[in-house]
Amino acid sequence: MEQTTKQQTSTAGISRRKFLGAAATGIAGITILPSHTIAGLGHIPPSDKLYIAKIGCGGMGAADLGSLMNTPKKNAEIACLCDVDARMAADARKKFPKASFYEDWRKLYDEAGNKFDAVCISTPDHNHAIQAFGAIRMGKHVYLQKPLAHDIYEARILTEAAKKHKVVTQMGDQGNSCDGMKTMREWFEAGLIGDIEKVYCWTNRPVWPQGIPWPTAKAPVPKELNWDLWLGTAEYTDYIENLVPFNWRGWWAFGTGALGDMGCHIIGPAFKLLGLNYPSEVSCSVTNQFTGIFEEAYYPESGPVASSIRFKFKQQNGRDLSLYWMDGGIMPERPEEVDPNADLTNAMGDLDPHDVEGATVFVGTKGKVSCGWGGSDPRLWQQNGSKKPLFAKDVGIPEKYPRIPGGTNGHYWAWIDSCIAGYDKARVESPFEGYAGPLTEAVLMGNLMLRGYNIRTKTSRKDAVYGEMETYQYPGRNITYLWDGPNMRITNFPEANQFVKRTYRNGWEALTL
């Protein structure tokens, strides 16, 4: 792990995977001190340290722990650990031997609520909201991995709850704190590319099995895994091989697909810099699969192999904006400014050729600006025939906005500092209110469209060659969904509104303010 002095410089050029790996291995052992008071609604603990409960300790959770404990001020302590899988928790328990450990987050909240001031949550998407909501109601500050929620309704409730209980919140889109976000804001305000008319966003996701049927073969539950607690709010189903710890992302019951995994990172720069809010229209194209002659495969439990989605937004300046999302290998038309021999994502997005995860491209009336995940490494593409972009050091626009010390790591550090300072003095880049909540809703609106794509009714038709055939109609396809964002509903295809809010499994409390 780099020294603190290096972490506080620009994070330009670091890939997301390298960041996660570096953060996960940078955890140092600590001593837990007793906490007799709780930060709660902005109160400062006597020691000026933030006592944190960590829910989800492996994978992304390990990376989160590393970044939390790398704070230069050393003003954070891990008071409690919680994980339903002993295998994923093992490393963290060794590094934090004095932290109380729980398998069930509900027991953590009930029994150890006086030991921590804040929670950091890194669990599968379907349990994000209920875990965060429970903490917020206790007056605890929350750092929650992206996307904030599995459903649009959950995202709205979390946003309103954070405001009601006045807790400091931060979504885990750490790229939002990189220097590139400030740089692009300065470029846009200087008018370098004129009026922005379109944005293209794409990713290499999914990088897990998707567009497949739910396996019929049951598998033994690993002895280290509490399967019932892992399911949490989701309807009960038998365990299947290779679902945990990563491949749950491709199943709608648990994950939010390619959009949920990378949308907040890649759509986020446009959402923040252009002052976007709820989309007004959404349309899509989705890969179809066939199991026989004119027999389309039907896998509604799983996200598609690939999709292309168009969102229509209203910008802060009143102009309409079309934002195009692509995944599963779909990419936009190659701009003339890019060398024909260059890898398009590497040229316009992530710089590391061995870790290319996506790109965001802003198309203006006078040029283009592109960046990697989370706004990293922005570059200016001029309309002068050059095939080489200009980076910040070559553009010459003066820095106007202060940078976040530590860049992507600073995303965590700023949250810690803000929790100690209190709600009214918080300075975070991805609070639920005003940014992360509405962004998550917009991202999940794309998923609502993808799921509405598979709504079908049985019918029949007569084919000139094959005669009478049983078939299906898909009324949610090849139309544009009109979205009433404030009221969370599709106005022209109400059948899709079933995906705005799901029903929790019996025994799991629904979210209500």
Side-chain angles (χ1 to χ4, degrees):
M1 172 55 68
E2 296 177 344
Q3 298 299 313
T4 298
T5 53
K6 292 185 179 179
Q7 291 171 340
Q8 290 178 315
T9 60
S10 170
T11 53
I14 187 171
S15 70
R16 180 170 172 273
R17 191 170 295 121
K18 284 183 178 178
F19 163 76
L20 299 182
T25 57
I27 309 174
I30 61 170
T31 301
I32 302 297
L33 300 176
S35 176
H36 301 295
T37 63
I38 302 172
L41 301 180
H43 302 299
I44 303 175
S47 62
D48 286 341
K49 280 196 174 184
L50 186 73
Y51 292 85
I52 301 171
K54 184 71 189 73
I55 305 176
C57 301
M60 191 65 227
D64 286 344
L65 278 167
S67 291
L68 289 169
M69 299 315 298
N70 282 333
T71 170
K73 296 180 182 179
K74 305 301 180 187
N75 56 350
E77 300 276 11
I78 302 302
C80 305
L81 297 169
C82 180
D83 205 300
V84 300
D85 192 331
R87 298 166 299 179
M88 303 302 287
D91 190 53
R93 294 188 72 179
K94 290 178 182 177
K95 291 171 178 172
F96 303 99
K98 296 191 178 187
S100 303
F101 178 76
Y102 291 83
E103 189 179 55
D104 189 335
W105 62 269
R106 296 168 299 181
K107 288 187 177 180
L108 164 68
Y109 289 0
D110 287 344
E111 298 176 8
N114 64 339
K115 293 184 179 180
F116 62 91
D117 314 305
V119 297
C120 177
I121 299 169
S122 317
T123 56
D125 300 345
H126 68 291
N127 286 325
H128 276 189
I130 195 167
Q131 292 166 346
F133 185 69
I136 291 171
R137 285 199 306 185
M138 295 172 66
K140 308 296 186 182
H141 308 297
V142 176
Y143 187 105
L144 177 60
Q145 267 306 321
K146 50 77 196 166
L148 291 190
H150 180 277
D151 308 332
I152 292 170
Y153 172 81
E154 292 176 329
R156 180 69 60 86
I157 288 292
L158 287 183
T159 302
E160 294 177 353
K163 182 178 180 179
K164 175 180 178 180
H165 293 280
K166 297 188 182 302
V167 295
V168 178
T169 56
Q170 180 92 302
M171 183 170 69
D173 56 338
Q174 64 273 12
N176 209 335
S177 291
C178 74
D179 290 357
M181 290 292 287
K182 310 294 186 183
T183 298
M184 287 189 289
R185 184 178 294 281
E186 289 155 356
W187 289 359
F188 295 158
E189 290 181 358
L192 289 188
I193 63 170
D195 293 322
I196 297 172
E197 300 175 324
K198 299 178 182 177
V199 176
Y200 292 96
C201 304
W202 70 94
T203 182
N204 65 341
R205 301 305 196 268
V207 292
W208 49 80
Q210 200 164 286
I212 55 176
W214 182 260
T216 56
K218 293 169 55 176
V221 178
K223 65 180 185 299
E224 302 90 348
L225 174 68
N226 187 319
W227 176 235
D228 185 69
L229 286 179
W230 188 93
L231 283 172
T233 60
E235 288 298 319
Y236 185 84
T237 187
D238 291 322
Y239 181 77
I240 61 171
E241 290 285 358
N242 299 319
L243 181 71
V244 174
F246 189 76
N247 290 339
W248 51 265
R249 290 166 172 80
W251 302 104
W252 291 129
F254 316 118
T256 50
L259 254 174
D261 189 50
M262 293 301 290
C264 291
H265 286 309
I266 298 174
I267 295 174
F271 202 87
K272 170 166 277 191
L273 297 176
L274 303 181
L276 306 182
N277 205 303
Y278 307 125
S280 58
E281 299 179 7
V282 183
S283 57
C284 77
S285 297
V286 173
T287 301
N288 293 333
Q289 298 169 266
F290 287 81
T291 55
I293 298 172
F294 289 106
E295 293 180 2
E296 183 176 339
Y298 186 63
Y299 306 136
E301 303 93 349
S302 179
V305 173
S307 67
S308 176
I309 304 173
R310 182 188 73 89
F311 299 84
K312 182 180 178 181
F313 290 98
K314 184 72 71 174
Q315 297 186 62
Q316 211 165 33
N317 61 12
R319 297 174 62 92
D320 287 336
L321 176 84
S322 290
L323 185 147
Y324 299 88
W325 168 268
M326 289 150 280
D327 58 48
I330 301 175
M331 301 173 75
E333 181 180 353
R334 176 180 290 266
E336 294 182 358
E337 295 91 336
V338 180
D339 188 304
N341 296 312
D343 178 286
L344 183 59
T345 309
N346 194 201
M348 304 197 85
D350 295 327
L351 290 177
D352 185 349
H354 304 294
D355 187 16
V356 178
E357 299 185 291
T360 305
V361 179
F362 298 84
V363 180
T365 53
K366 299 194 297 184
K368 298 179 177 68
V369 164
S370 69
C371 62
W373 73 274
S376 59
D377 304 305
R379 63 220 75 161
L380 173 66
W381 301 83
Q382 298 174 295
Q383 296 176 330
N384 59 4
S386 173
K387 301 294 183 181
K388 293 183 178 180
L390 298 177
F391 288 86
K393 62 183 178 61
D394 304 311
V395 174
I397 297 296
E399 290 189 5
K400 180 179 175 182
Y401 297 103
R403 273 46 179 170
I404 306 298
T408 47
N409 274 310
H411 198 67
Y412 299 82
W413 306 345
W415 174 70
I416 293 170
D417 293 345
S418 293
C419 291
I420 293 172
Y423 176 81
D424 292 333
K425 297 180 180 179
R427 294 293 182 269
V428 291
E429 293 296 314
S430 297
F432 295 4
E433 302 170 60
Y435 179 69
L439 170 59
T440 296
E441 289 190 38
V443 166
L444 296 179
M445 174 56 216
N447 279 346
L448 185 151
M449 177 104 212
L450 295 180
R451 299 188 73 179
Y453 190 88
N454 276 324
I455 293 175
R456 68 179 189 175
T457 56
K458 185 180 290 187
T459 185
S460 62
R461 71 181 182 88
K462 189 170 185 178
D463 185 82
V465 176
Y466 298 102
E468 196 73 20
M469 299 180 67
E470 183 180 275
T471 186
Y472 292 89
Q473 290 181 333
Y474 294 85
R477 296 184 180 181
N478 306 320
I479 64 174
T480 294
Y481 287 12
L482 303 180
W483 180 240
D484 176 1
N487 294 302
M488 298 182 289
R489 66 188 183 95
I490 299 293
T491 59
N492 64 327
F493 184 56
E495 292 92 333
N497 289 325
Q498 63 183 289
F499 303 119
V500 170
K501 176 185 178 183
R502 65 198 163 103
T503 301
Y504 286 176
R505 183 160 60 117
N506 286 341
W508 295 85
E509 181 185 359
L511 307 189
T512 55
L513 289 174

